[in-house]
Every structure is written in structure tokens, then in C-alpha cells.
Amino acid sequence: MVYLNGEFLAKNQASISVMDRGFLFGDGVYEVIPVYKGSIFRLQEHLQRLQNSLDAIGIKNPHTNQQWQDIFSQLLTHDLAPNQSLYLQITRGADTQRKHSFESLTATVFVELNPLTPKSKHELNQGFSAITQADFRWQRCDIKATSLLANIMYSQQAKQNQVEEVILHRDQSITEGATSNVFIVKNNTLFTHPTGPNILSGITRDLVLESAIACQLPIQETAPTLDELLSADEVWISSSTREVMPITQVDSQPINQGKIGTHWSNVYDYYQSLKNA
Ligand code: PDD
């Protein structure tokens, strides 16, 4: 069951116009929201970021927060899997002719549920690998836009290299991952790129910072350099679907001799307690 423009339909019954600007241009925004034991995690924060993305590209929010919540609740009554992720996408809608500039159109709204299977601590304790690449994306990475060509290219590279993530750097500063935010621990301080146009302001990023503070780990929103990444005591990535994951190898070099860090373990446990709160 999916939601499309006011209707709840079987996925194979849902279709949109070939003139939809989402299809023609990737002219739209999206959100991915985790649902744990049927309860939507940090819904208000996701809806606020959705509003920010819509405002940035000049699409009127088609629904109030209450309407969004009603759509999500209806979908969730059809699917009782314990952990899921809500995918919602709004495109500018369909015009009669393809042109870059736009008129006022009726937005296309699509929502679906996907299975969510966060890794257990036991699985995470193995550690994960990443590679680094120059960040050639545009400078509005704060908009959660459906046009994700650069992120797709990086993610495919991660797959081909059999690593968990591609970590991006701009002018030697670590921005974020292809689909995650990036943190390092150095000398018992947690560093991550500040929010702004060069990164997506992750909802999980905020929760990781909140968890670090609760675990008495000082935080500094300063981008680590590439050298600092490679010589870090710990490297983590975060996202709504992956939570907070330890990276123990970057560009084939072990981080902290390939060992999982204690700060990650503490922050991971605190993050789990927020989910269950
Ligand atoms: N992506 N940075 C980028 C480029 C991302 O694509 C994501 C998440 C994040 C983390 O944001 P959050 O913590 O709010 O999930 C950071 C989602 C999961 C996706 O595209 O599927």
C-alpha cells in the first residue's frame, strides 16, 4: 500500500504523468523517517526539515503537519512490521510542456513504507570500511532534494569497492558521506562539519550530538580535515536508516588499529535509549 495524491493504492497501481517535473528534472524534495515499534521517530524534526527544503525551492507544503501525520498513520495501519522507514516525496507537479522554469502547479505527493532493519550492536562491533572522494556536489546540500545524481555515483562507487560509505571532502575538509553525516573523535572530543549549505543537516546528526553531550563527550562543530580523519581515534557515520555506525578502515588504512572505540559504544547505547524512550 502506498499513498499517492490523496489515494491509498497498491504499489503497482500507483502511477504519475510523464510530464511530472520529478521525472523530468528531479524537481522535488523528500524525507526518510524511521518508525520504531509503530512509533514515528522525531516526526516534528523531519517535518520541519521538509518545510525548509520546500521553502528553499519554492513549493508550497501541500499538507499541514496533522494531515501528514494522518497519512502516515493510515499507511502504518496496513503494515504492522515492527521497524520501518517512511519515504515521502513531493515534486513540483506536472506541466504541459518541458521547460526549466516553472508555473504554479499541483504538487505530486508520494509516501511509502520500507522495511527497516538496523544492525545489532553485535554486527556493528565488526566495524565498517569507507573510502574518501572529493565532494563535487553543488552548494545547496542542505536541501533534501530528490535530484541525487552525485550521491548515486558515490554510492555506486561504495558498492563497487565493497565499502559501507564514501566520505566526501571539499578543500581538504570532511563534509559528509554520500548518504550520511560523518564524525571523528580525536583526543576525547567529537568533531563534525557545522550545518550550512555544504551538508544535509541530519536529524540523526543532532541526536548523535545530543547523545555525545549526555555521555560527557565534548562536541565541536568544526569540519575535520582529511588528515585528521585518517589519524582519528574513531570515525562514525550517521543516518536515519543506519543510526550511528563505526568506521574502522578508511582508504584501506585502519582507524585506531581497526578497533571499535569506547565513545562510539557509549553514544550508540544512549541513542538506543532515545529510540526506546
Ligand atoms: N539520507 N547526508 C546525506 C547526504 C544523506 O543522504 C543523509 C540521509 C544524511 C543523514 O540524514 P538523517 O540523519 O536525517 O537521515 C546526511 C537518507 C537516509 C536517504 O537518502 O535515504
Side-chain angles (χ1 to χ4, degrees):
M1 185 73 72
V2 301
Y3 173 89
L4 180 67
N5 298 331
E7 287 184 283
F8 292 90
L9 304 159
K11 203 173 192 169
N12 61 7
Q13 296 298 308
S15 59
I16 58 158
S17 163
V18 290
M19 293 311 294
D20 195 281
R21 293 178 60 94
F23 174 61
L24 293 174
F25 293 111
D27 184 0
V29 297
Y30 74 106
E31 277 296 323
V32 177
I33 317 176
V35 181
Y36 297 116
K37 296 186 192 139
S39 145
I40 307 175
F41 192 50
R42 295 298 187 259
L43 176 61
Q44 296 314 317
E45 288 84 344
H46 282 278
L47 289 177
Q48 182 56 55
R49 185 173 63 185
L50 176 68
Q51 187 64 54
N52 298 345
S53 297
L54 288 167
D55 289 345
I57 67 165
I59 295 181
K60 190 176 173 304
N61 194 333
H63 296 305
T64 62
N65 283 2
Q66 187 56 53
Q67 287 168 334
W68 282 118
Q69 218 163 321
D70 293 344
I71 294 167
F72 301 154
S73 302
Q74 284 230 45
L75 277 177
L76 286 166
T77 57
H78 289 286
D79 197 328
L80 299 173
N83 297 329
Q84 308 185 67
S85 74
L86 278 162
Y87 175 80
L88 80 94
Q89 139 163 358
I90 303 166
T91 75
R92 200 179 301 279
D95 207 341
T96 49
Q97 208 191 337
R98 179 188 178 275
K99 61 177 183 322
H100 289 65
S101 61
F102 56 86
E103 314 298 329
S104 175
L105 301 168
T106 304
T108 302
V109 181
F110 171 62
V111 189
E112 68 165 347
L113 279 168
N114 287 303
L116 180 65
T117 44
K119 289 191 165 51
S120 65
K121 194 168 189 189
H122 178 70
E123 290 168 298
L124 292 170
N125 266 320
Q126 300 159 20
F128 295 85
S129 303
I131 53 173
T132 61
Q133 287 288 316
D135 191 346
F136 55 68
R137 299 173 304 161
W138 69 334
Q139 292 185 353
R140 288 309 307 269
C141 294
D142 53 321
I143 303 172
K144 199 160 171 62
T146 57
S147 34
L148 285 169
L149 209 39
N151 309 64
I152 290 167
M153 290 163 73
Y154 291 129
S155 293
Q156 191 61 16
Q157 244 179 320
K159 185 176 164 185
Q160 282 162 351
N161 285 276
Q162 295 176 299
V163 296
E164 181 65 26
E165 183 59 302
V166 175
I167 295 178
L168 304 172
H169 53 89
R170 198 186 281 276
D171 303 328
Q172 295 300 304
S173 290
I174 303 302
T175 49
E176 59 180 339
T179 61
S180 61
N181 292 113
V182 175
F183 302 80
I184 73 158
V185 178
K186 187 75 189 169
N187 300 331
N188 298 311
T189 300
L190 184 66
F191 294 86
T192 195
H193 195 291
T195 56
N198 287 338
I199 67 161
L200 182 77
S201 179
I203 306 300
T204 322
R205 175 188 177 280
D206 284 349
L207 293 167
V208 167
L209 293 177
E210 183 184 326
S211 304
I213 292 166
C215 296
Q216 331 268 290
L217 173 62
I219 62 168
Q220 208 169 308
E221 293 183 67
T222 308
T225 64
L226 189 52
D227 286 345
E228 286 165 344
L229 173 82
L230 295 171
S231 62
D233 300 329
E234 301 186 25
V235 176
W236 315 338
I237 58 169
S238 76
S239 82
S240 292
T241 47
R242 287 190 284 195
E243 303 182 343
V244 52
M245 290 181 81
I247 301 293
T248 47
Q249 185 177 303
V250 178
D251 291 340
S252 304
Q253 291 186 45
I255 302 294
N256 186 27
Q257 292 150 3
K259 292 198 295 273
I260 297 289
T262 49
H263 292 301
W264 170 77
S265 181
N266 294 340
V267 164
Y268 172 86
D269 289 346
Y270 190 86
Y271 187 89
Q272 296 307 309
S273 73
L274 290 177
K275 275 167 57 179
N276 299 323

